[in-house]
Structures are given as C-alpha cells and as structure tokens.
Amino acid sequence: MDSLNNIESLLYFIPEILLVVFATAVIILDLIVRDRESDIVAYLALVGLGCALLAILISDSIIGTDKSLFFGMIRLDGFAIFFKILLILATSATILFSLRSEELDVKLKGEYYALLLAVTLGMFLMASSTNLLMIFISLETVSLTSYILAGFLTHSPRSSEAAFKYITFGAVASGTMLFGLSLIFGMTGTGDLAEISTRLPDVLATGQVTALGLLIAITFILAGVGYKIASVPFHMWSPDVYEGAPIPITAFLSVASKAAGFALFLRFFYSGFSQGLLDSVDWGLLLAVVSALTMTVGNLAALPQRNVKRLLAYSSIAHGGYLLMGGVLLTSDGLSAILFYLIVYLFMNLGAFYVVILVANDSGSEMIEGYRGLSSRSPLVAAAMMIFLVSLTGIPPFAGFFGKFFLFKAVIDKGFYWLAFVGLLNSVISLYYYARIIKAMYFESAEDTESFYSTKSTFALLTVFVIPTIFIGLLNIFYSLSGNITLQ
C-alpha cells in the first residue's frame, strides 16, 4: 500500500482536525462567556464530538478506509474506525456525566472540556499509529492530559495525590517503553510496524538478534502498554488514581483509556511482532500468565474494599485481565472477542459509574454504606445498578456473560483450558464484592429515608446504558461486525 503524503492525508484526517478546532473553540468561548454557571462550553464540546463522529462515518461510507497516511505514520482502517467511534461514545458520556457531577469547579469548565477533547485526539492517534515515533507521541499526548484531568479537583488532597502518583508511575513506564522501542528500532533499522514484522524473522534467522534480546525489548514495551491498560505488575497507580480523580474522569479512564491502550496493544503486537514473536518466543504462554495474574490480583484486591470507586478500580484491573485472554496468540477470534467485550464493557461500566455519581450527589458518600436502602429511595436507580453489576460479573442473560463467553471460547480453542478455568474462577470471586453493593441496596436500611432526587434526563441517560447492557449480548450482529475487523 502506497503511503499518502502530508497534504493528501489531510482529507482523511478531518475528525482529528475537528477535535483540535473545537478544543480551541471551547477555550475561546469560555473566555467570552461571563456566566460561570453556564454549560454552553460542555455542549460545544459535545457538538465537536458529534461533528467528528459524522466525519468518521462519512469518510468510511464515501471516501473509504484502509489508507496509510502521513508517509506511513498513521493508518486509517476498520480497526481505527471502530476505536474512534468507541472513544467518541465514551468521551460524550463523560461530558454528560460531568454536567451532573457536583465535584467539578465551575470556574474551570473551559479547560476541563478542552482537555477531554485533547485526550480524545491522543487516543485517536493511539488507535491509528503504525510508526514507533508516532506511537510514543500519541501515548504521551494521552498521558499528559490524563495527569491533569486526574488532579483536576485542586481543592482535594486526594486528587492532587492521584495526579502525583499517576505522573510518577507514568514517567517511569514511558521511559521504560521508550527504551524498548529504541531496542526494536536498533534491531530492525526501521520504525514502521509493517517493515518491523518483515525484518524481524530475517534478523532472528541470521543470528543478528537473539530471541532473548527480542524478549527483553518486548518486556520493556509491555511495561508502557501494560501501564496504560493497568495490567499486573503495572497496575499500582490505578486504585489511588481512580479513587482520587473526579468520578467522571474515573469512569473515562476505566473505559476510554483502557480501550485506547488495547488498541495500541493490538496494533503494535499484531501488526509488528506476531510473526517474529510466534517463531521465537512463547508469546501465548507469556500473555496467558499476565492475563491470569491481572484478573486474579484485581479481583482479590477488590474483596476488602469499602469505597465503591476504589472497588471498581480493582474491578477494572480484573476486566483488563479478561480482555488480555483474547490476545493470546493474537488470533482473529481473539481479536473479535476483545472488540466485542470492549463494546459491552463501555455500557455496563460507564452505567455503573453514572450511578456512583448519582449516589455521591445525593448522599455525599462514595462508600458502600451510601447505597443502603437505595431500592426504597430510588427503585429504578437501584435496579439499574444491579443490572450493571450482574453484567460485570458475567451472569446470563446480560451482555457481560456473552462478552466473557467469546473470550473464554477464544482461549479454549487454542488449548488454554487452564486460563479459561482461572477466568471462570475469578468471575465467581467477583460476584462476592459486587453482591455486597446489591446487598446494601436491597437488604440494608438507610438512616436517610428521603426519596432519591432524580430528573427525567437522569433516567433517560441511565436507560441509554441499561438497554444495551440487557440486550446487546443477544444481538450476535455486534460480534459478527467485530469479527469483520482485521489487522494487517
């Protein structure tokens, strides 16, 4: 495939350009608007995301995809389109959550929504990058903006601590990953993933590079990617950051950041290293061990948690482990299972965090105790939360069950029966801590018996997450669509 030059590539880069334009417009509008209580900047950010989504759909249906842009730095294909749409949905939900959150400082709305658009731009590039340099630049773009968003509650010591820990771990992970990337560049003499995939088997066959050297380089790179998806042993930042960040940002990091991390992971290893790795390194076993450790550590650490945000942080780590199951041996079935599970995870996890925001607004508490008697104070909110938690556990007939089913099937088909058993055992463990929240909502009485304050818009947004969580797993069309997405 011929690579387009910089000018020719601009026609296919319109969604990213729109995000830059609207991020700038949000800042300018925030300077003009005198009413600090106004939500107009949030709505402008939503319009920007809508325009970017429209541009993506138009380019996919009219112009076509599968283009190599900017001299091979970026690739526009079905894989990138999938993640861009997913990221737009996650960012839009985060903005809507932010409008209902009482944590955020109204004086800093412009910067906040501009940063959300900026981090979405970085995630777009993470899903599209096919060059080592662009991979690192896009990762740093996402990381730097995420650090600021995590510490956005400047009046909160917890938020400042979250940002400090986030940037500390992030700096170490980025430096480690950069060292691994430099090793790969030195081994192959190129930064292009397609050329790396072609040259690696040759340099391994001639003895210029040893399998051990390649494994060391991959391990360093996994540190950076693993930090982004919060896999063990690069997960230490996640609980503290999730607990200290504003709840909408916690929801955003748990879904959008994880999705972008997996986009980078799949693009990087599937396109650049599958051939060389499978011939020289037992990639399947290495990834299976990381997957098992990630889901086990995440679930066991979640068991004693009383803070719901922190509990869901460990839950997010565990779900990263489930997703890694689909990456074992990098098969097409595993790829489609990961993509489908990310769709499912978007709705059920964001829905759960939306309830966390509603409860925090009502009771001022993020602890499980704040959910006591919720079924009597707000039956619909309690029922929605129960649906999200049951789906996260993986109990049928909800979407989470089908998502895990396809992941388990992918590893069983490749003979990793023990990994499927570990995943099943961890799903049983997760039921315990999810059930504690359900128990508090339905079987414990609250000191405050006042009705839960909700509006029609609150229930409308809640319904947007509940309906897919119930029915999306029954529609095999979504799994079929994800199965049609390939990586080259």
Side-chain angles (χ1 to χ4, degrees), residues 169-170 172-173 176 218-239 286-287 289-298 317 321 324:
F169 281 113
V172 173
T176 306
I218 295 302
T219 302
F220 282 124
I221 295 170
L222 271 176
V225 179
Y227 146 78
K228 210 66 203 166
I229 63 178
S231 66
V232 172
F234 315 107
H235 67 289
M236 293 81 73
W237 61 272
S238 180
L286 174 64
L287 191 59
V289 170
V290 174
S291 172
L293 288 174
T294 300
M295 67 178 83
T296 303
V297 170
I317 293 172
L324 280 171

Side-chain angles (χ1 to χ4, degrees), residues 22 31 43 48 58 67 98 143 193 196 255-256 269 323 357-358 361 375 390 392 394-395 434 440:
F22 275 92
L31 294 173
Y43 295 124
I58 290 175
K67 308 286 185 183
S98 302
S143 296
L193 291 182
I196 288 173
V255 175
F269 289 100
L323 284 162
I357 291 174
L358 297 177
N361 289 344
S375 60
V390 171
L392 285 166
I395 296 176
Y434 289 135

Side-chain angles (χ1 to χ4, degrees), residues 394-433:
I395 296 176
F398 300 109
F401 165 77
F402 293 94
K404 287 185 178 180
F405 172 80
F406 292 127
L407 288 170
F408 290 170
K409 180 178 180 298
V411 295
I412 290 175
D413 288 345
K414 289 302 175 182
F416 284 86
Y417 302 105
W418 67 268
L419 183 58
F421 176 76
V422 171
L424 180 62
L425 184 62
N426 273 280
S427 295
V428 174
I429 294 173
S430 69
L431 177 61
Y432 172 77
Y433 59 80

Side-chain angles (χ1 to χ4, degrees), residues 24 89 93 100 106 140 157 174 192 241 273 281 306-307 309 328 354 357 359 374 379 386 430 435 438 449 471:
T24 306
L89 293 176
R100 287 158 176 79
V106 295
E140 286 303 285
S174 295
D192 184 81
V241 171
F273 294 91
V281 178
R306 304 296 303 175
N307 184 294
K309 282 173 66 178
V328 174
Y354 184 45
I357 291 174
V359 173
L374 185 60
M386 182 178 68
S430 69
I438 298 174
T449 57
F471 295 110

Side-chain angles (χ1 to χ4, degrees), residues 163-174:
F164 177 76
K165 290 183 177 179
Y166 200 4
I167 194 171
T168 302
F169 281 113
V172 173
S174 295

